[in-house]
Amino acid sequence: FFQDGSDTVELPIKFIPQYAGSYHCQILLKSFYDIRVYEIECVVNAEQADAQLEFRTPAYQAVTQDIPISNTSSEKWKFEAILEGQCFYGPSVLHVGVGETAQYPLMFKPVAEC
């Protein structure tokens, strides 16, 4: 036990990632009586950006917009897409490899004037 009566100690860590992704680390703590290894995983999300798409097409004619998804992380990404709203279509799953950019084809196919 420590002098203040607690059985814990703080271990400050400074982490400055360059890119979004998953970062793994091992911390090895050694003393004369004990050896401990701590596994740490830090997940960094990219800043979120707002975007708007405007679709214009005659009724009953489809228009498709490819949306680029860039993976700058060190792990393969798997996206599950949930589309809300009428007349929108696209794949339910998209895979993006490490260092790759995949296109998500979002289709708007109106069945009437709207």
Side-chain angles (χ1 to χ4, degrees), residues 25-86:
C25 174
Q26 283 188 346
I27 298 176
L28 175 64
L29 299 177
K30 293 169 45 174
S31 74
F32 289 110
Y33 308 103
D34 195 11
I35 297 176
R36 295 180 187 216
V37 177
Y38 292 91
E39 301 272 340
I40 296 177
E41 177 183 8
C42 297
V43 177
V44 178
N45 296 318
E47 291 183 30
Q48 296 191 7
D50 292 332
Q52 291 183 347
L53 297 175
E54 184 175 318
F55 292 92
R56 291 179 186 253
T57 185
Y60 307 108
Q61 290 187 18
V63 62
T64 301
Q65 173 67 54
D66 288 330
I67 301 171
I69 308 291
S70 296
N71 181 354
T72 59
S73 76
S74 58
E75 292 186 13
K76 183 178 179 180
W77 287 351
K78 176 185 176 185
F79 284 95
E80 293 183 27
I82 300 171
L83 299 177
E84 295 180 358
Q86 297 177 349

Side-chain angles (χ1 to χ4, degrees), residues 96-109:
V96 186
V98 174
E100 294 181 355
T101 298
Q103 302 293 328
Y104 183 84
L106 179 61
M107 178 193 297
F108 178 65
K109 186 176 183 181

